[in-house]
Amino acid sequence: MSDFPPELLFDILSRLPPKDLIRFLSVSKAWNAIIRHHHFIKAHLQRSIQTNSFRTILVRSIGSPSLDYFSSAVNGSETFRTVVKIERPLKSPERYQILGCSIHGVVCICNSLRTNVALWNPSIQKFKMIPLPAIEQQQPSSDLHISLGFGIKNLPRNDFSTLNVYDTALEFLNGALCWLMPNRLDMYRFIILTLDLATEKYREFDTPVDEDYSTVMELEVLVGSLCVYVHDWDTGNDVWIMKDFGGPWTLLYSIKKETMTWLLNYCPPLVFSKNGEMVLLKEDEEAFVWFDLKGKIGYQDNICGLPVRFDAKICEGSLCLIDGDPVIGWRQ
């Protein structure tokens, strides 16, 4: 292997799934050095994003006493055979949740009291605990409320006092955090606010439609573009896409009441198929549905091992946090 061109080895390894690369750390010191190098980690992530490879669906059970996590690979055939229970970093018996979105395959998980917080890469089962700053209490503990956001700093509370970061779904795109918030000038309209993490500058975008009492609006990132999901209890589901960041909105797909009554539930999109012809929807908290964009038909994907009620996120396959602690065997 000493005569093998290093650039060819780099290219071959960058095409492999994260779990395989973790095993290959033990092949040799040379392979270990390549895989751990930040240039390789970045190149592997970029290839994973560009090719829609190594995607994982992360499922969190809701309502059950155990509150377990499960995962399944999103493969080329766009089907899930089963979900497998995986260990999580925080072992406390209390309720816990994921903060915000998945960024480069990493999620932020915390317990209900916000006292234990960790960054977690489910693809490689590595994590890093986040030390929280000491808070000098000037009031009873029952009145203390700690709000956390994944990747936010210097939020201008005086200008955007109506925004509750902890309860707002954040998305990450083009180096910026994006979220929906009420328009300060019109309470019946929402805007999209973005924060560029490099320049710390804010931008505002209008949403494609107005929200009223019968609609639910959410922000998503699909096919590398910002999307708005609109669920109307009377008419159906629409997804709008902003193909160029800051550009106009285009209707990506629509599911109407008169054509598909059984898909009138709350069905936010999670991810597109590898060929871009289908989109995976999460129907309420109970099922996954593949919707064919051309044929305008949908079918449930019956997955073995799925909890009765669940939440789900799509995580990119990455080696981020490769130097973190292994989840298996860790105890608080």
Side-chain angles (χ1 to χ4, degrees):
M1 293 292 292
S2 59
D3 297 332
F4 201 79
E7 62 276 7
L8 184 56
L9 177 61
F10 186 103
D11 184 70
I12 292 174
L13 291 177
S14 68
R15 300 171 185 269
L16 299 179
K19 290 183 179 180
D20 291 345
L21 292 171
I22 292 298
R23 295 203 308 270
F24 292 162
L25 290 172
S26 303
V27 170
S28 68
K29 291 183 178 180
W31 283 35
N32 189 295
I34 291 175
I35 295 171
R36 289 184 178 275
H37 199 279
H38 66 276
H39 287 313
F40 180 83
I41 295 174
K42 183 178 180 180
H44 181 271
L45 174 63
Q46 289 176 340
R47 183 183 292 275
S48 175
I49 295 173
Q50 292 170 358
T51 62
N52 284 332
S53 302
F54 319 134
R55 297 169 298 174
T56 299
I57 186 164
L58 181 64
V59 175
R60 180 178 68 95
S61 64
I62 296 177
S64 63
S66 57
L67 295 173
D68 295 322
Y69 275 103
F70 304 82
S71 71
S72 178
V74 183
N75 56 32
S77 62
E78 315 307 342
T79 57
F80 305 106
R81 298 299 180 188
T82 185
V83 292
V84 179
K85 182 180 177 181
I86 58 175
E87 296 289 336
R88 56 186 170 85
L90 304 182
K91 305 295 182 178
S92 60
E94 58 186 322
R95 298 185 65 85
Y96 55 89
Q97 66 183 94
I98 294 175
L99 295 177
C101 56
S102 168
I103 300 178
H104 295 167
V106 175
V107 295
C108 184
I109 184 174
C110 74
N111 63 348
S112 58
L113 296 178
R114 281 71 132 179
T115 54
N116 291 327
V117 183
L119 296 180
W120 175 32
N121 184 338
S123 297
I124 59 176
Q125 281 295 72
K126 295 290 187 100
F127 77 100
K128 288 186 178 181
M129 295 296 297
I130 303 299
L132 297 180
I135 299 177
E136 184 178 351
Q137 289 185 235
Q138 302 295 332
Q139 52 188 337
S141 57
S142 60
D143 295 333
L144 181 64
H145 178 74
I146 302 174
S147 292
L148 300 172
F150 185 21
I152 294 180
K153 73 174 183 177
N154 298 337
L155 187 70
R157 293 187 178 180
N158 294 334
D159 294 336
F160 303 103
S161 58
T162 57
L163 174 65
N164 186 335
V165 175
Y166 185 79
D167 295 328
T168 301
L170 299 171
E171 294 295 340
F172 183 74
L173 181 67
N174 292 346
L177 289 170
C178 313
W179 63 92
L180 283 168
M181 64 172 293
N183 190 324
R184 290 166 292 169
L185 303 178
D186 185 350
M187 62 179 295
Y188 295 104
R189 292 184 61 87
F190 273 67
I191 62 170
I192 297 171
L193 188 65
T194 70
L195 168 63
D196 189 299
L197 296 183
T199 64
E200 299 188 9
K201 293 183 178 180
Y202 291 86
R203 295 178 65 183
E204 292 185 10
F205 303 127
D206 289 330
T207 57
V209 296
D210 295 337
E211 185 176 25
D212 58 35
Y213 69 93
S214 66
T215 64
V216 174
M217 188 182 300
E218 289 186 1
L219 206 59
E220 310 282 349
V221 171
L222 297 173
V223 292
S225 299
L226 201 62
C227 295
V228 169
Y229 165 70
V230 182
H231 172 60
D232 190 302
W233 300 101
D234 298 325
T235 61
N237 298 287
D238 295 332
V239 171
W240 297 79
I241 187 170
M242 182 187 287
K243 295 181 179 180
D244 297 318
F245 200 63
W249 291 102
T250 302
L251 183 63
L252 185 62
Y253 71 83
S254 181
I255 303 175
K256 294 303 181 183
K257 179 178 181 180
E258 59 271 16
T259 60
M260 198 168 295
T261 57
W262 68 280
L263 260 184
L264 278 184
N265 293 329
Y266 169 73
C267 293
L270 292 176
V271 67
F272 276 87
S273 62
K274 200 166 185 178
N275 60 15
E277 296 179 356
M278 295 189 295
V279 61
L280 182 66
L281 313 176
K282 181 172 70 71
E283 186 179 13
D284 287 333
E285 298 172 344
E286 300 175 352
F288 290 115
V289 175
W290 280 108
F291 180 69
D292 189 320
L293 297 174
K294 292 184 177 180
K296 303 298 181 183
I297 58 174
Y299 59 92
Q300 285 192 2
D301 199 335
N302 297 318
I303 307 174
C304 298
L306 200 63
V308 176
R309 295 179 58 226
F310 61 86
D311 189 16
K313 293 183 181 293
I314 298 295
C315 297
E316 299 156 344
S318 79
L319 294 173
C320 296
L321 303 184
I322 193 172
D323 293 327
D325 297 321
V327 169
I328 304 299
W330 181 79
R331 294 291 182 271
Q332 288 192 19

